[in-house]
Amino acid sequence: MLLPIEWLKEYINIDADTKTLADKLTLSGSHVESIISLDKGIRNVVVGKVLKIEKHPNADKLLITSVDVGDETLQIVTGATNLKEGDYVPVALIGGKLLDENYIDKTNFRGVDSYGMLCSLRELGFSDNIIPKSQRDGIFVLKGNYKLGDDINEILNLEDEILELEITPNRSDCLSIVGMAREVAATFNEKLIIPKIEVLSEKGNVKDYINSVKVDEKLCNRYYVRVIKDVRIEESPLWLQLRLMKAGVRPINNIVDITNYVMLEYGQPLHAYDMEKLRGNHIYVRQAKEGEKVKTIDGVERSLKPSNLVIADDEGAIGIAGVMGGMDTEITEDTTIVVLESANFNSKSIRITSKEFGLRTEASARFEKGIDPNLCEIAAERVCQLIEQIGAGIVVEGNIDVFKNPVDQKIIQLRPDRVNKLLGTKLSLEDMSKYLERLELSVVKKGDNLEVTIPSFRLDLNSEVDLIEEIGRLHGFHNIKTKPLVGVLTRGKKPYGKIIENKAKLILQGLGLNEVLTYSFGSPRVYDKLKIAENSPLRNYIKIMNPLGEEYSAMRTTLIPNILTLLSRNYNYGVKECFVYEIGNIFIPKELPIKDLPIEKKMLSIGMYGCGDFYDIKEVIEILLERLGMRDIEFSREENNPSFHPNRTAKISYKEQPLGVVGEIHIDVMGNFDIKERVYVAYLDFDMIIEEAVLEKRYKPLPKYPAIMRDIAVVVNRDVLVGEIEKIIWQNGEGLIEDIQLFDIYEGDQIMKGKKSIAFSIIYRSYDRTLKDDEVNRIQDNIIKDLENKFDAKLRS
């Protein structure tokens, strides 16, 4: 969940900086995964007004604009087509800075000078998935009037920060801004400020639009309906769009945006229907009929089963309850009357339906965890208030509320001595009461115990031990003193494979690589993107029965697509260089369809782009394996791997057994992953590394006898590999070669076409005597003869 700090502060007065807020929330049980800063270093970007637009005399697709920025009028050339005279737009002035250190300078476009740049939302740091469709392919047009020359950072509040939180499944109340504000208030012992909900003007009668609502009470605990008439569908105000985008939701139109806004605010999903598209004036919440179909708003027609709960009108289903609405009744530009639904559906039913269709939406994610039914009315009235506030329509008087089984208040008895015994504390009765009251729990002293009344929004509090945990986290588990364990203890030890894995991670991190962790499942389409042959064993993947979607429906048989997807994401986010690795399992089925558990094989994948080439990634592998005690590594040409460049790829072998592949990714594959820079990837059998690694270090004394160095340069065919020549040299060394160093590869005018010269320095040394020149010369002669016989090599003079 994303929690914008500026939005949070609407419900609680807190002066703590974001880092302190994140640390204290984590200590009190709300795990903060990261702090996202919207400030991407954008500077000297101001509000301007387009005064005039003319066609470029020398370019059909360019326009010349005159833009007033307050103290001057600038001539700016742009290719945007969504502008009109009078629009307010962000203007990057000369000397200004956008993303990726992109500084603005005076530019000449086909003979016309441009003194700045008009900016899109993407150029201001917003990602494509949250930018409104109307703003995605053009300049960001600010609706309304603004003071010219004002800093765009202040208008868009780009200095705001966002907390990314991991919400545990039992805390559905925290999947909302108000819920997290309640946690912050309890953590800092501050007062929660809940906005007053009030609809000032209502006209008409809801019964004139909806006669009745019939509900399956087993699968829908509450169904609350309001109607809004004289609706005007348009873009939402900027403040509303910004809050949605910062929370990770793309704005659509004012009505849909308000329902999404309130869902994020209170955690209660809502849905709006176009009243004039309803067939009849009745609403039914029922189980689907066998073979019944509905086209959802994503354009997909779905066949329903009786296990699916649907919303229906007089003629059939119009939406899948709690998961996704129907296309036939969605809000469009022509909508004038809206039926607003705020419901409380059975969590198990929603979870099963969501899995059956592979649809996981913001609504289903909340319903399947359970929601306070009392939120239905609050959220619906809040939507009506906001619609009235922004002038999007007129609220019709009255509501329809089907709520036959209200929630009874839970009362839990708490024993203070049990609290201290479990927590290892010495808290007083008063301290316990204060902690619980900070969470809006009602506490009454009953003799030596406490009687605690649980508010309806805390669905997770059901027993005494739950209250003890609440007291512990607000007191701070870090404040509880540690005590020694009592009893028989055994010495724990990591398994050998884990020791090797940790050692490999330390080596790779020391070489400048970052560890990544990706999903074990992905899309079947990645094999086409990798150009994998149709008959390749890699395509024998295991299909997941109930995937989250088609993109997550196949258990991976290779780590390459995961690494390439991650590199692509970083590349397109403007990260100039990236060096990553992952140690993870691939899943090889014994047979298909699957009957037994698959073979899980641990693999190491390495990926990089930016500052580096084939030899850099090759060196990483050599250092890693050498430090793991694997020194007999061979690299040989690999030409038949369609995912890699045919001339810049090598097979890796250890003791003549295949270990992996390293190379440059094929240009077509890079295009499929939307990367325009050379990418280098390696994958290695990590199970084999674990089996062959030798961590034992043996002492080797410093040599007492001098070394003899000889250089050798031979001319061979271009296709002869350096490693093959080195292998011949080692084989003829009679155990006296200490090291071989390649120092030159030459192709040019002094060498025949199709040939190359390769030069080595060979270091000879004996650890029990001083070598003689005759002895070394004999070995040199043997090396040259062997190279001549096997590679038709010629000694270069």
Side-chain angles (χ1 to χ4, degrees), residues 547-608:
L548 298 176
E550 198 274 339
E551 291 295 315
Y552 304 100
S553 63
M555 298 301 292
R556 65 188 180 189
T557 57
T558 171
L559 299 185
I560 298 178
N562 302 60
I563 284 290
L564 288 178
T565 300
L566 186 140
L567 292 176
S568 171
R569 186 183 302 119
N570 280 274
Y571 175 80
N572 287 290
Y573 281 174
V575 179
K576 293 182 179 179
E577 57 183 29
C578 192
F579 308 90
V580 297
Y581 74 92
E582 178 178 16
I583 298 175
N585 288 348
I586 59 173
F587 303 86
I588 312 298
K590 297 173 184 175
E591 58 180 325
L592 290 175
I594 189 167
K595 295 179 181 178
D596 298 321
L597 290 175
I599 299 169
E600 294 189 34
K601 192 173 184 61
K602 194 175 288 279
M603 300 292 291
L604 164 65
S605 62
I606 300 171
M608 60 175 65

Side-chain angles (χ1 to χ4, degrees), residues 23 120 167 169 274 345 364 373 414 566 587 596 666:
D23 290 342
S120 66
I167 306 298
D274 188 327
F345 299 115
S364 68
L414 181 66
L566 186 140
F587 303 86
D596 298 321
H666 197 286

